[in-house]
Amino acid sequence: MSSPAGWYDDPEDPTQQRYWDGSVWTDQRRAQQGPPPYEGQFGQPGRTPQYGGPAQHGQVYGGGQPGPTPYGQPNQPTQQQYGQPGQPPQQQYGQQQGQYPQYPQQAGYGYPGQRVHATPDGQPLSGWWRRVFARIIDSIIAGIIGLPLTGYFYYQYSKVLWQYVKDTMDQASAGTPTTTATLPPEVYKWLIPAALIGYLVSFVYEYLFLTKKGATPGKMALNIAVRLRDVPGIPPGAAVAKRYGVIVLLSVVGVIPLIGTLAGFVALLNYLWPLWDDKKQALHDKVAGTNVVRT
């Protein structure tokens, strides 16, 4: 059963209200904005019936007392019959009119009592695996797009690397194995330009899709999108530039000898960070103030 987003009685604590985002209960709560709960209603905490108004269906079964009869009208039963006009056809037995189900069981969003990670306004956050698969899809697409620009450099790089491997194996077969594991400088002559061009293509790819659609093709395929954590909608260009700029910076530094190992470790932490972060943000999300959310 789908219901509009809004504040409703908290099914776990009748003294407060809880925000329903249209799919799941969020962690946002506030004090009741009306009269105290009516204790006599069966199954659900209710409201004290207004003067002259009929009791809600199921109220008398919990011991609720009949409401007062309006002046000048004959006595009428306080028990509203199920299916009577004014009663929503989908309303469940013992449930207040206008109140939404206590136990939404949307696939992938969890069950009552289970914490659902969400933005401050209640939009569910993406899981880690969705982000990983979306990144893989986007990397493949961006790599194909950039291939006309990077293909020559990768071809020359592979030739130098293959020759280096062949020479190393020949020396080992001759009984004079090489004592260094450092790649020849010519390898980096072709690898670094190819990597820089590839990262530039990826940055443009990410920037255009996120600022126009809020999601790249890979994210669209996995039903996730990028937004500011505190503001819904398509993220601004500055946030997108910061977000992907961190990824590009770590990747570029990663191909530099010596310091590349440290940069690679930080890059790995960046991708793993949402696994234990309470806001499900990677390090680049924290820099940009963004979240990856379910759509």
Side-chain angles (χ1 to χ4, degrees):
M1 175 179 175
S2 178
S3 306
W7 291 96
Y8 303 103
D9 291 346
D10 188 344
E12 298 177 355
D13 186 353
T15 64
Q16 62 183 5
Q17 291 183 327
R18 189 171 179 181
Y19 190 81
W20 170 264
D21 70 355
S23 300
V24 295
W25 293 112
T26 71
D27 290 335
Q28 294 179 277
R29 293 179 172 85
R30 70 179 185 184
Q32 284 284 0
Q33 304 297 304
Y38 181 63
E39 298 293 343
Q41 187 177 1
F42 176 80
Q44 294 281 353
R47 306 283 188 181
T48 304
Q50 297 182 355
Y51 183 79
Q56 298 296 326
H57 177 72
Q59 191 172 43
V60 297
Y61 297 103
Q65 299 299 321
T69 302
Y71 180 76
Q73 294 185 7
N75 291 338
Q76 295 180 358
T78 60
Q79 179 182 351
Q80 185 174 350
Q81 299 298 321
Y82 185 80
Q84 191 172 349
Q87 186 86 354
Q90 72 274 19
Q91 185 171 341
Q92 299 179 1
Y93 175 79
Q95 194 171 21
Q96 253 189 314
Q97 183 176 355
Q99 186 172 358
Y100 297 97
Q102 284 196 40
Y103 304 108
Q105 297 186 0
Q106 298 288 339
Y109 290 141
Y111 293 89
Q114 187 176 27
R115 182 178 181 184
V116 177
H117 293 279
T119 57
D121 58 344
Q123 187 172 6
L125 302 180
S126 168
W128 186 76
W129 280 109
R130 284 180 180 269
R131 297 183 61 165
V132 170
F133 287 126
R135 178 64 66 186
I136 292 173
I137 294 172
D138 287 329
S139 297
I140 294 173
I141 295 174
I144 294 174
I145 293 173
L147 193 58
L149 300 175
T150 60
Y152 175 75
F153 294 95
Y154 279 122
Y155 172 71
Q156 295 295 336
Y157 161 76
S158 62
K159 285 178 59 178
V160 174
L161 184 62
W162 172 248
Q163 188 61 47
Y164 168 75
V165 172
K166 184 176 181 300
D167 291 343
T168 301
M169 295 179 65
D170 289 343
Q171 291 175 6
S173 299
T176 57
T178 181
T179 57
T180 178
T182 304
L183 294 176
E186 195 175 0
V187 168
Y188 298 101
K189 171 185 173 182
W190 300 108
L191 175 60
I192 291 178
L196 291 176
I197 295 172
Y199 294 140
L200 179 61
V201 171
S202 297
F203 179 84
V204 174
Y205 168 87
E206 187 101 358
Y207 185 88
L208 291 178
F209 274 108
L210 292 188
T211 55
K212 300 297 182 183
K213 300 288 187 180
T216 56
K219 289 180 173 59
M220 293 179 197
L222 274 297
N223 296 319
I224 58 178
V226 177
R227 52 161 282 184
L228 292 177
R229 176 165 176 80
D230 298 315
V231 182
I234 295 175
V240 174
K242 289 179 183 178
R243 186 175 189 276
Y244 202 67
V246 173
I247 299 175
V248 171
L249 178 62
L250 291 174
S251 299
V252 170
V253 175
V255 301
I256 299 176
L258 301 179
I259 64 173
T261 302
L262 177 60
F265 177 73
V266 176
L268 178 61
L269 279 180
N270 174 47
Y271 284 114
L272 296 178
W273 206 269
L275 288 172
W276 57 76
D277 187 73
D278 61 339
K279 297 178 181 178
K280 295 299 179 183
Q281 291 177 307
L283 298 180
H284 60 264
D285 288 313
K286 292 187 177 298
V287 171
T290 56
N291 260 132
V292 180
V293 297
R294 293 287 299 271
T295 58

